[in-house]
Amino acid sequence: MRRPAAWADLRQQVPVAGDVRAGQARSTVCAACHGPQGLAIAPNFPNLAGQAATYLYVQLKSFRSGQRSDPIMSGQAAALSDADMRNLAVYYASLPAKPPGRVEAASRGGQLFLGGDPARGIPPCQACHGPTGHGPRTYPSDAPQPPWSTFPRLHGLSAIYVTKALHDFRNGARSGTSNALIMHGVAQTLDDADMQALSNYIATQ
Protein backbone atom coordinates (compact mmCIF):
# COMPACT_ATOMS: atom_id res chain seq x y z
CA MET A 1 0.00 0.00 0.00
CA ARG A 2 1.39 3.40 -0.99
CA ARG A 3 2.12 5.69 1.95
CA PRO A 4 0.61 9.18 1.69
CA ALA A 5 3.04 11.97 0.86
CA ALA A 6 3.95 14.61 3.41
CA TRP A 7 1.45 17.36 4.19
CA ALA A 8 1.37 19.81 1.26
CA ASP A 9 1.22 23.58 1.69
CA LEU A 10 -0.57 24.77 -1.45
CA ARG A 11 -0.11 28.47 -0.75
CA GLN A 12 3.04 28.58 -2.86
CA GLN A 13 1.75 26.45 -5.74
CA VAL A 14 3.11 27.74 -9.05
CA PRO A 15 0.46 28.21 -11.79
CA VAL A 16 0.12 25.23 -14.08
CA ALA A 17 0.87 25.27 -17.81
CA GLY A 18 0.44 22.44 -20.29
CA ASP A 19 -0.57 21.33 -23.76
CA VAL A 20 -4.33 21.44 -24.35
CA ARG A 21 -4.21 19.12 -27.37
CA ALA A 22 -2.14 16.54 -25.52
CA GLY A 23 -4.57 16.75 -22.62
CA GLN A 24 -7.52 16.17 -24.93
CA ALA A 25 -5.80 13.11 -26.40
CA ARG A 26 -5.20 11.76 -22.87
CA SER A 27 -8.78 12.43 -21.72
CA THR A 28 -10.49 9.48 -23.45
CA VAL A 29 -10.63 7.37 -20.30
CA CYS A 30 -11.66 10.38 -18.17
CA ALA A 31 -14.73 10.93 -20.38
CA ALA A 32 -16.28 7.69 -19.14
CA CYS A 33 -17.11 9.42 -15.83
CA HIS A 34 -16.59 13.13 -16.45
CA GLY A 35 -18.24 13.28 -19.87
CA PRO A 36 -16.78 14.08 -23.31
CA GLN A 37 -17.00 17.82 -22.58
CA GLY A 38 -16.02 17.67 -18.93
CA LEU A 39 -19.60 17.64 -17.61
CA ALA A 40 -20.15 14.59 -15.43
CA ILE A 41 -22.38 11.77 -16.67
CA ALA A 42 -23.64 10.98 -13.13
CA PRO A 43 -24.12 13.15 -10.01
CA ASN A 44 -21.50 11.30 -7.97
CA PHE A 45 -18.77 12.60 -10.30
CA PRO A 46 -17.58 16.23 -10.45
CA ASN A 47 -17.74 18.49 -13.48
CA LEU A 48 -14.23 19.32 -14.69
CA ALA A 49 -15.04 21.78 -17.49
CA GLY A 50 -13.97 25.32 -16.60
CA GLN A 51 -12.34 24.26 -13.35
CA ALA A 52 -9.05 26.00 -12.53
CA ALA A 53 -6.09 24.17 -14.07
CA THR A 54 -3.97 24.57 -10.94
CA TYR A 55 -6.72 23.05 -8.79
CA LEU A 56 -7.15 20.07 -11.15
CA TYR A 57 -3.41 19.46 -11.26
CA VAL A 58 -3.15 19.51 -7.47
CA GLN A 59 -6.03 17.03 -7.15
CA LEU A 60 -4.46 14.61 -9.62
CA LYS A 61 -1.18 14.84 -7.71
CA SER A 62 -3.05 14.15 -4.48
CA PHE A 63 -4.65 11.02 -5.92
CA ARG A 64 -1.32 9.80 -7.29
CA SER A 65 0.53 10.40 -4.02
CA GLY A 66 -2.17 8.87 -1.82
CA GLN A 67 -3.18 12.09 -0.07
CA ARG A 68 -6.63 11.54 -1.60
CA SER A 69 -8.06 8.07 -2.02
CA ASP A 70 -10.80 6.97 -4.38
CA PRO A 71 -11.59 3.51 -5.82
CA ILE A 72 -11.47 4.86 -9.37
CA MET A 73 -9.24 7.93 -9.33
CA SER A 74 -6.40 6.47 -7.31
CA GLY A 75 -5.80 3.84 -9.97
CA GLN A 76 -6.27 6.23 -12.86
CA ALA A 77 -3.85 8.82 -11.45
CA ALA A 78 -1.19 6.21 -10.72
CA ALA A 79 -0.65 5.79 -14.46
CA LEU A 80 -0.21 9.53 -15.17
CA SER A 81 3.09 11.34 -15.58
CA ASP A 82 3.50 14.88 -14.31
CA ALA A 83 3.17 16.14 -17.89
CA ASP A 84 -0.04 14.12 -18.32
CA MET A 85 -1.52 15.74 -15.24
CA ARG A 86 -0.60 19.23 -16.39
CA ASN A 87 -1.97 18.61 -19.88
CA LEU A 88 -5.24 17.18 -18.59
CA ALA A 89 -5.61 20.08 -16.17
CA VAL A 90 -5.24 22.78 -18.82
CA TYR A 91 -7.47 20.87 -21.24
CA TYR A 92 -10.39 20.67 -18.84
CA ALA A 93 -9.84 24.25 -17.73
CA SER A 94 -10.22 25.30 -21.38
CA LEU A 95 -13.69 23.75 -21.78
CA PRO A 96 -16.88 25.80 -21.27
CA ALA A 97 -18.33 25.39 -17.80
CA LYS A 98 -21.88 24.38 -17.05
CA PRO A 99 -24.31 27.24 -17.84
CA PRO A 100 -25.56 29.26 -14.84
CA GLY A 101 -28.71 28.06 -13.09
CA ARG A 102 -31.33 29.93 -11.09
CA VAL A 103 -30.32 30.24 -7.46
CA GLU A 104 -32.46 31.30 -4.52
CA ALA A 105 -30.27 33.55 -2.42
CA ALA A 106 -32.96 33.68 0.28
CA SER A 107 -32.81 29.92 0.80
CA ARG A 108 -30.96 28.48 3.78
CA GLY A 109 -28.21 27.33 1.46
CA GLY A 110 -27.99 30.76 -0.13
CA GLN A 111 -27.76 32.43 3.25
CA LEU A 112 -24.93 30.13 4.32
CA PHE A 113 -23.06 30.43 1.02
CA LEU A 114 -23.27 34.22 0.82
CA GLY A 115 -23.35 35.29 4.46
CA GLY A 116 -22.49 32.31 6.63
CA ASP A 117 -23.91 32.11 10.12
CA PRO A 118 -21.77 34.22 12.49
CA ALA A 119 -23.66 33.09 15.57
CA ARG A 120 -22.56 29.52 14.91
CA GLY A 121 -19.10 30.35 13.60
CA ILE A 122 -19.94 29.38 10.01
CA PRO A 123 -18.01 31.48 7.46
CA PRO A 124 -19.55 32.39 4.10
CA CYS A 125 -18.48 30.05 1.31
CA GLN A 126 -18.19 32.96 -1.09
CA ALA A 127 -15.20 34.26 0.87
CA CYS A 128 -13.06 31.58 -0.78
CA HIS A 129 -15.15 30.34 -3.70
CA GLY A 130 -16.56 33.64 -4.99
CA PRO A 131 -20.14 34.98 -4.82
CA THR A 132 -21.25 32.87 -7.79
CA GLY A 133 -19.15 29.82 -6.97
CA HIS A 134 -16.76 30.46 -9.86
CA GLY A 135 -13.72 30.37 -7.60
CA PRO A 136 -11.11 33.03 -6.91
CA ARG A 137 -9.78 35.19 -9.70
CA THR A 138 -6.15 34.51 -10.55
CA TYR A 139 -3.76 36.02 -13.06
CA PRO A 140 -1.26 34.41 -15.46
CA SER A 141 2.20 34.63 -13.96
CA ASP A 142 5.26 32.52 -13.29
CA ALA A 143 5.35 33.82 -9.73
CA PRO A 144 3.50 32.03 -6.91
CA GLN A 145 -0.18 32.90 -6.94
CA PRO A 146 -2.11 34.20 -3.91
CA PRO A 147 -2.84 31.61 -1.19
CA TRP A 148 -6.36 31.10 -2.55
CA SER A 149 -5.37 30.25 -6.15
CA THR A 150 -5.88 26.52 -5.57
CA PHE A 151 -9.43 26.87 -4.21
CA PRO A 152 -11.92 25.14 -6.52
CA ARG A 153 -14.82 26.30 -8.60
CA LEU A 154 -18.06 25.03 -7.04
CA HIS A 155 -20.53 26.37 -9.60
CA GLY A 156 -22.83 23.65 -10.91
CA LEU A 157 -21.43 20.67 -8.98
CA SER A 158 -24.13 18.16 -8.10
CA ALA A 159 -25.67 18.13 -4.62
CA ILE A 160 -24.64 14.49 -4.20
CA TYR A 161 -20.99 15.24 -4.97
CA VAL A 162 -20.83 18.35 -2.74
CA THR A 163 -22.51 16.59 0.18
CA LYS A 164 -20.00 13.75 0.03
CA ALA A 165 -17.09 16.19 -0.20
CA LEU A 166 -18.28 18.08 2.88
CA HIS A 167 -18.69 14.84 4.83
CA ASP A 168 -15.22 13.73 3.73
CA PHE A 169 -13.74 16.97 5.04
CA ARG A 170 -15.66 16.72 8.30
CA ASN A 171 -14.55 13.15 9.03
CA GLY A 172 -10.98 13.66 7.81
CA ALA A 173 -11.19 11.44 4.73
CA ARG A 174 -9.80 14.33 2.71
CA SER A 175 -6.65 15.67 4.30
CA GLY A 176 -2.97 16.28 3.72
CA THR A 177 -3.08 19.81 2.27
CA SER A 178 -3.44 23.36 3.51
CA ASN A 179 -6.79 23.60 1.68
CA ALA A 180 -8.09 20.49 3.43
CA LEU A 181 -7.06 21.95 6.80
CA ILE A 182 -9.24 25.00 6.09
CA MET A 183 -12.16 22.84 5.06
CA HIS A 184 -11.85 20.62 8.13
CA GLY A 185 -12.51 23.67 10.28
CA VAL A 186 -15.41 24.83 8.11
CA ALA A 187 -17.05 21.42 7.89
CA GLN A 188 -16.95 20.99 11.65
CA THR A 189 -19.30 23.98 11.99
CA LEU A 190 -21.90 22.42 9.66
CA ASP A 191 -24.55 19.91 10.63
CA ASP A 192 -26.11 17.51 8.13
CA ALA A 193 -28.99 19.87 7.36
CA ASP A 194 -26.54 22.71 6.64
CA MET A 195 -24.54 20.49 4.30
CA GLN A 196 -27.65 19.46 2.39
CA ALA A 197 -28.85 23.06 2.11
CA LEU A 198 -25.47 24.23 0.84
CA SER A 199 -25.21 21.34 -1.59
CA ASN A 200 -28.64 22.05 -3.05
CA TYR A 201 -27.79 25.73 -3.45
CA ILE A 202 -24.44 25.05 -5.13
CA ALA A 203 -26.09 22.61 -7.54
CA THR A 204 -28.37 25.40 -8.80
CA GLN A 205 -25.56 27.94 -9.38
Side-chain angles (χ1 to χ4, degrees):
M1 183 175 179
R2 177 180 294 171
R3 297 180 61 186
W7 186 83
D9 188 343
L10 302 179
R11 291 173 295 178
Q12 297 298 311
Q13 173 64 46
V14 176
V16 169
D19 184 323
V20 171
R21 289 187 179 181
Q24 182 178 18
R26 199 72 169 81
S27 70
T28 305
V29 174
C30 311
C33 296
H34 299 288
Q37 296 299 314
L39 299 177
I41 64 169
N44 54 310
F45 302 124
N47 297 326
L48 303 183
Q51 185 61 266
T54 303
Y55 173 78
L56 293 174
Y57 171 72
V58 166
Q59 298 313 303
L60 287 171
K61 281 184 61 179
S62 294
F63 283 122
R64 192 176 68 171
S65 71
Q67 285 172 332
R68 282 189 71 178
S69 178
D70 179 86
I72 297 173
M73 284 303 304
S74 295
Q76 294 294 333
L80 299 175
S81 68
D82 191 71
D84 289 334
M85 293 189 291
R86 292 174 182 275
N87 295 339
L88 283 167
V90 297
Y91 167 63
Y92 281 110
S94 74
L95 296 176
K98 183 179 178 180
R102 298 180 63 181
V103 298
E104 294 186 16
S107 67
R108 174 59 177 165
Q111 292 171 357
L112 288 172
F113 191 93
L114 297 171
D117 189 337
R120 293 174 53 203
I122 302 175
C125 306
Q126 71 155 323
C128 293
H129 300 285
T132 58
H134 284 73
R137 186 176 182 182
T138 58
Y139 303 90
S141 170
D142 290 332
Q145 291 288 306
W148 53 86
S149 67
T150 53
F151 294 169
R153 179 190 189 104
L154 301 182
H155 159 83
L157 291 174
S158 76
I160 289 174
Y161 178 80
V162 175
T163 299
K164 182 181 184 302
L166 288 172
H167 278 284
D168 285 349
F169 282 122
R170 189 169 68 183
N171 64 29
R174 288 182 65 170
S175 60
T177 68
S178 50
N179 286 3
L181 186 61
I182 293 170
M183 283 304 303
H184 289 171
V186 172
Q188 291 297 324
T189 69
L190 302 172
D191 60 27
D192 288 348
D194 295 330
M195 290 186 178
Q196 191 61 59
L198 274 170
S199 298
N200 291 339
Y201 178 79
I202 289 168
T204 65
Q205 286 183 322

